[in-house]
Amino acid sequence: MALLRTFTHSARTARAFSLIELLVVMGIFILVAGFGLVVSFDSFRGYTFRDERDAIVGSLHKARSQAVNNMCFGTCTDGKAHGVHFAGGVGSPYVVFQGTTYVAGDVTNETIATKINSVSVTAADVVFAPLSATVSGAPIVITVTDGGPHTSVITVESEGRIWWTN
């Protein structure tokens, strides 16, 4: 009898999880995973946005450096102005060119494609004068946005100085 009483008592204390307890725990895991997924997607979008903005700033610095160094690609004996052409629109490429105006199809142009299709740039062409890297019509304001919470403003001043927000 004592053996039967011990077996029955241990069977009552060693119980399994109920279906409701399992569903509550699984629900908590799903909520935590969903929150982590939302946060990681926003971090990824912010990273790609900043990467694209940095590529645009890098292109401006490259054109400015080529103008300061009085570089000339192709057939010319003296240096030329250099600039960046923004086609505008979502996912449009931008082009580093030489000369005072952008000429499509010029073999000396260097096309820099955008890395993500959701970034749009609103700007006119930015042209740096040879040797001095001054910019006429400055300050030129370039707005970069991904259509969401990320927006950055790049400013090119008349002295050729480039700075940006965010």
Side-chain angles (χ1 to χ4, degrees):
M1 191 62 125
L3 182 62
L4 182 60
R5 210 176 299 151
T6 305
F7 177 72
T8 310
H9 179 67
S10 65
R12 273 192 237 146
T13 58
R15 49 183 215 129
F17 293 110
S18 70
L19 182 61
I20 293 175
E21 291 171 329
L22 288 175
L23 289 176
V24 167
V25 170
M26 286 175 46
I28 291 171
F29 281 141
I30 289 171
L31 286 174
V32 169
F35 179 73
L37 195 60
V38 168
V39 169
S40 66
F41 276 148
D42 190 48
S43 295
F44 176 73
R45 281 193 347 213
Y47 169 76
T48 55
F49 173 78
R50 287 185 300 277
D51 185 45
E52 185 64 31
R53 184 216 43 226
D54 292 346
I56 292 169
V57 170
S59 298
L60 289 166
H61 280 291
K62 181 176 187 169
R64 183 180 184 281
S65 174
Q66 289 174 347
V68 166
N69 291 318
N70 207 24
M71 297 180 96
C72 181
F73 304 112
T75 56
C76 63
T77 57
D78 199 4
K80 290 186 174 182
H82 289 264
V84 179
H85 169 73
F86 299 98
V90 175
S92 298
Y94 38 96
V95 180
V96 176
F97 65 92
Q98 72 175 0
T100 55
T101 57
Y102 169 71
V103 178
D106 187 354
V107 295
T108 61
N109 292 344
E110 180 183 351
T111 301
I112 300 170
T114 54
K115 293 174 180 54
I116 187 164
N117 290 331
S118 64
V119 172
S120 65
V121 177
T122 58
D125 292 352
V126 179
V127 180
F128 298 95
L131 295 176
S132 65
T134 57
V135 178
S136 63
I140 297 175
V141 177
I142 303 165
T143 304
V144 183
T145 183
D146 67 351
H150 304 107
T151 300
S152 184
V153 176
I154 303 169
T155 305
V156 181
E157 296 179 348
S158 59
E159 303 86 22
R161 186 174 33 231
I162 302 165
W163 55 275
W164 61 94
T165 63
N166 277 4

